[in-house]
Amino acid sequence: MRYGQKGAQVRRRPGTGFLAFILHRGSGIILAFFILPHLYMLYFLKDPARYEAIRGVFINRMAVRLAGAGLLALVLAHGLNGARVMLLEAGAPSRLQKALFVTALIIGLLLLAAGARLMIAA
Amino acid sequence: MRNLGATGFFLERASAILLVFLLAAHFIVIHFQGAGEDAWSHGAIFLRLSSPLWLVFYIIFLSVLLYHGFYGLWGIAVEYVRRVSLLAAIRACLVAVSLALWASGIFILANSQMLLANPPALCYKCHARGSIPSYRAMRFFGLHRPWQGAQTERALENFPASGKDVESAVTDPRLKVLSFTGSATVGWGLKRLACDK
Ligand code: HEM
């Protein structure tokens, strides 16, 4: 069987591989850009009162806590998918790719449930 | 990502594996303690930053994270953009932004070391937290009683400690101010200890 000549396009076909690819890429981009606001908040560490005031807003808003859990979801989606990609590259049989995706999904959801519970709890 | 060359490809994977451990440590110590907990209060962060081990941890974390993330963005650019001049511009932007972010992170860490060296005021504020992992880690490295050290005039706030450790802090003659939140029994107990010395 022959794939298209344009190597990069091969991955852009519907299916688990495509879904995994989009999830990995999307979460990677968002996480990379998240470093900026995160560092900006830490910048206020030089002023304890200011930092604690900002932290207070974070603690008291449920929306912010939920966003934190969302960030964990992104990290898990990206990290577990990355592990799956690396396993396949290292020689795991590619017929297992769907099974690996489902395994990553289950592990991710379990870790997310456990982590989000801790992050949202007051 | 396939177009990065063998070294780039390998380093992207190596940094990814490192990130699994770094991110796990970061989330467990900071974010899994509950939203309202002390783990990321100003005092708790500064207590961690007073240990060279945590300082090194954050420098490595910052560097690996920025390398992986921005090299990943570069890999995406290489995949979509064909024009060489545009690619060169994108590359320059990515390098500039990642270096600026790295410098900001290092600046924040350096600033914290300056604040630790010249604390604005002496202030001990204990929160008894016998079970949290950051406390356990600090005890492992022998850093759980930060008031017993060479640096005598250091400011401390909101640090995690077990009951026994708090006792030794409260009876320390250098203690000037004690503020406590918790049960009445413990509060009065601490007050008695503090006044008896
Ligand atoms: C648990 C830790 C992580 C692991 C195991 C991991 C793994 C990977 C792997 C294996 C790749 C290459 C994917 C490919 O060639 O198709 C990759 C790409 C990427 N990673 Fe990560 N990563 C992790 C954390 C992060 C974090 C925290 C960020 C954000 C700063 C990030 C940003 C990116 C970006 C932007 C890409 C490029 C995405 C693409 O080419 O589609 N990663 N990651």
Side-chain angles (χ1 to χ4, degrees):
Chain A
M1 195 162 73
R2 273 195 75 195
Y3 287 100
Q5 295 297 327
K6 301 177 206 147
Q9 308 249 309
V10 171
R11 286 192 274 179
R12 286 184 193 79
R13 290 179 305 160
T16 1
F18 178 73
L19 180 65
F21 166 68
I22 288 295
L23 268 178
H24 191 79
R25 181 153 283 188
S27 54
I29 295 173
I30 298 173
L31 288 173
F33 283 103
F34 173 73
I35 299 174
L36 179 64
H38 192 303
L39 280 178
Y40 185 57
M41 167 166 185
L42 295 178
Y43 171 72
F44 291 106
L45 276 172
K46 69 187 165 77
D47 181 346
R50 188 91 189 273
Y51 174 83
E52 286 299 331
I54 298 171
R55 200 171 87 93
V57 176
F58 279 27
I59 293 172
N60 294 328
R61 299 251 162 93
M62 192 38 132
V64 183
R65 287 196 222 163
L66 287 173
L71 201 69
L72 174 65
L74 287 180
V75 169
L76 288 173
H78 186 89
L80 288 166
N81 240 311
R84 172 183 149 279
V85 168
M86 286 189 285
L87 275 178
L88 290 169
E89 282 167 353
S94 54
R95 72 190 140 76
L96 287 185
Q97 83 98 354
K98 206 169 250 179
L100 280 174
F101 181 78
V102 175
T103 313
L105 192 69
I106 293 172
I107 298 177
L109 285 176
L110 287 177
L111 287 176
L112 179 64
R117 206 179 59 91
L118 294 171
M119 289 175 87
I120 293 170
Chain B
M1 286 254 80
R2 312 270 145 179
N3 309 332
L4 290 176
T7 315
F9 189 85
F10 170 75
L11 281 178
E12 186 72 3
R13 266 95 194 135
S15 58
I17 293 169
L18 273 178
L19 275 179
V20 173
F21 297 102
L22 295 168
L23 278 168
H26 180 68
F27 269 87
I28 290 170
V29 170
I30 309 279
H31 296 294
F32 289 172
Q33 309 294 335
E37 290 302 330
D38 267 357
W40 55 300
S41 71
H42 190 272
I45 290 177
F46 268 62
L47 178 59
R48 270 191 295 275
L49 288 178
S50 69
S51 137
L53 283 164
W54 274 109
L55 201 58
V56 169
F57 172 87
Y58 279 118
I59 294 172
I60 294 176
F61 191 19
L62 177 73
S63 312
V64 176
L65 192 65
L66 285 170
Y67 176 83
H68 179 89
F70 279 76
Y71 213 81
L73 292 180
W74 168 241
I76 298 175
V78 169
E79 218 173 287
Y80 291 104
V81 180
R82 288 278 158 257
R83 262 189 38 217
V84 177
S85 55
L86 182 56
L87 258 185
I90 292 175
R91 188 194 174 108
C93 282
L94 289 175
V95 170
V97 172
S98 55
L99 282 181
L101 287 175
W102 190 79
S104 323
I106 295 294
F107 174 80
I108 292 167
L109 289 172
N111 228 343
S112 74
Q113 296 308 299
M114 257 137 64
L115 272 175
L116 278 168
N118 312 296
L122 189 66
C123 167
Y124 287 95
K125 224 159 146 191
C126 302
H127 279 204
R129 304 226 83 87
S131 61
I132 73 173
S134 60
Y135 168 72
R136 277 197 226 128
M138 281 185 297
R139 193 156 78 174
F140 180 77
F141 292 117
L143 297 163
H144 59 302
R145 292 181 174 187
W147 52 91
Q148 294 178 340
Q151 301 98 324
T152 45
E153 297 291 285
R154 179 185 286 169
L156 287 168
E157 290 177 73
N158 291 324
F159 56 86
S162 75
K164 268 216 189 80
D165 296 325
V166 170
E167 245 182 70
S168 104
V170 167
T171 51
D172 190 306
R174 289 166 298 170
L175 178 85
K176 300 288 188 289
V177 179
L178 172 71
S179 141
F180 172 81
T181 321
S183 74
T185 332
V186 177
W188 287 111
L190 286 177
K191 185 169 179 190
R192 203 182 52 240
L193 276 174
C195 295
D196 276 355
K197 71 183 181 209

